[in-house]
Amino acid sequence: MTKPRPTLFLIAAFWNWAIAISTVIAPALVYQLTMPIPAPANLAMTYLFMGLVLVFGIGYFWAWRDFTRNASVIRLGVVGKLTVFVISAIAVLTGQIGMLLFVVATGDFIFALLFLRALNILPNSETSGTDQ
């Protein structure tokens, strides 16, 4: 029997990779579209964050490849995506980011909800923390 491979996680992987790669390739454009400030001269923090976004994408790819063995990766993804959404909501309310970036973060919120739904279809024995 083949293992389930929810396409959701492949889409999430490409979502993260597209955001990370586009930000690294064209940071000035991304800042112009999403922030009320220009890109900083030193982009080290931006690149570090995009590195983490890229790595999370690898985790979602792993979840796509073997959904039943990667429940911990999926749970970490829920926490990460909810964190991005909450921080972005605060940042848009305080004028630190533009609305477009908040819309992108809302995509992360939707992914978090879908990830939780996907976790609920796993048998309890596979989501109890024994997937390491």
Side-chain angles (χ1 to χ4, degrees):
M1 175 177 237
T2 60
K3 294 179 181 179
R5 289 173 65 150
T7 307
L8 164 66
F9 298 104
L10 186 60
I11 294 168
F14 281 111
W15 171 269
N16 273 47
W17 295 337
I19 289 170
I21 291 167
S22 63
T23 302
V24 169
I25 289 173
L29 177 61
V30 170
Y31 269 81
Q32 180 184 1
L33 293 172
T34 62
M35 304 276 205
I37 60 168
N42 183 340
L43 290 166
M45 293 304 291
T46 298
Y47 293 153
L48 286 169
F49 181 68
M50 288 304 111
L52 292 175
V53 170
L54 190 79
V55 168
F56 267 75
I58 293 169
Y60 305 143
F61 181 77
W62 291 342
W64 172 73
R65 293 278 314 251
D66 194 346
F67 174 64
T68 58
R69 291 186 48 114
N70 285 291
S72 290
V73 172
I74 298 166
R75 285 191 295 273
L76 184 62
V78 169
V79 172
K81 289 193 173 295
L82 289 177
T83 301
V84 166
F85 177 74
V86 169
I87 291 171
S88 296
I90 294 167
V92 79
L93 290 172
T94 58
Q96 297 177 57
I97 65 170
M99 193 53 126
L100 181 60
L101 186 54
F102 181 68
V103 169
V104 172
T106 300
D108 277 349
F109 179 73
I110 293 167
F111 274 120
L113 295 177
L114 293 171
F115 286 7
L116 285 170
R117 184 172 180 215
L119 283 169
N120 286 332
I121 69 169
L122 283 173
N124 284 337
S125 63
E126 291 174 347
T127 60
S128 63
T130 60
D131 55 332
Q132 331 253 320

